Amino acid sequence: MKPVFAAVFLLCLVFSSSLFEVTMAASGFCDSKCSARCSKAGIKDRCLKYCGICCEKCKCVPSGTYGNKLECPCYRDMKNSKGKPKCP
């Protein structure tokens, strides 16, 4: 019984660490893309926050600091609770 428990525990540990690496990789991608997207924003921290939320969900960020949202339809189509664009 104990070897089975140890094997299951080890398997869970390996699986969770691989998920952590994937999450960190996606986060690095979004951080760099959103830093470029928000480089000229007036309120940079808010821009980075919402860009990060949109990037994590859509897995893309339009190029440039403004516009180009046709490059990423998911990013373009996300709306806030008031029906306005969520993503910068």
Side-chain angles (χ1 to χ4, degrees), residues 61-75:
V61 174
S63 61
T65 57
Y66 184 80
N68 303 320
K69 290 188 178 182
L70 291 175
E71 297 174 3
C72 185
C74 171
Y75 192 96

Side-chain angles (χ1 to χ4, degrees), residues 9-65:
F9 179 74
L10 186 59
L11 186 61
C12 289
L13 188 63
V14 168
F15 181 70
S16 66
S17 69
S18 66
L19 285 176
F20 181 71
E21 288 177 19
V22 169
T23 303
M24 291 303 289
S27 179
F29 169 80
C30 289
D31 288 347
S32 65
K33 293 288 188 178
C34 288
S35 290
R37 182 80 177 167
C38 297
S39 63
K40 294 183 179 178
I43 305 174
K44 194 168 293 215
D45 58 336
R46 188 178 342 172
C47 181
L48 290 170
K49 175 184 174 182
Y50 288 108
C51 180
I53 291 169
C54 296
C55 178
E56 289 294 328
K57 182 166 182 166
C58 298
K59 308 293 187 244
C60 64
V61 174
S63 61
T65 57

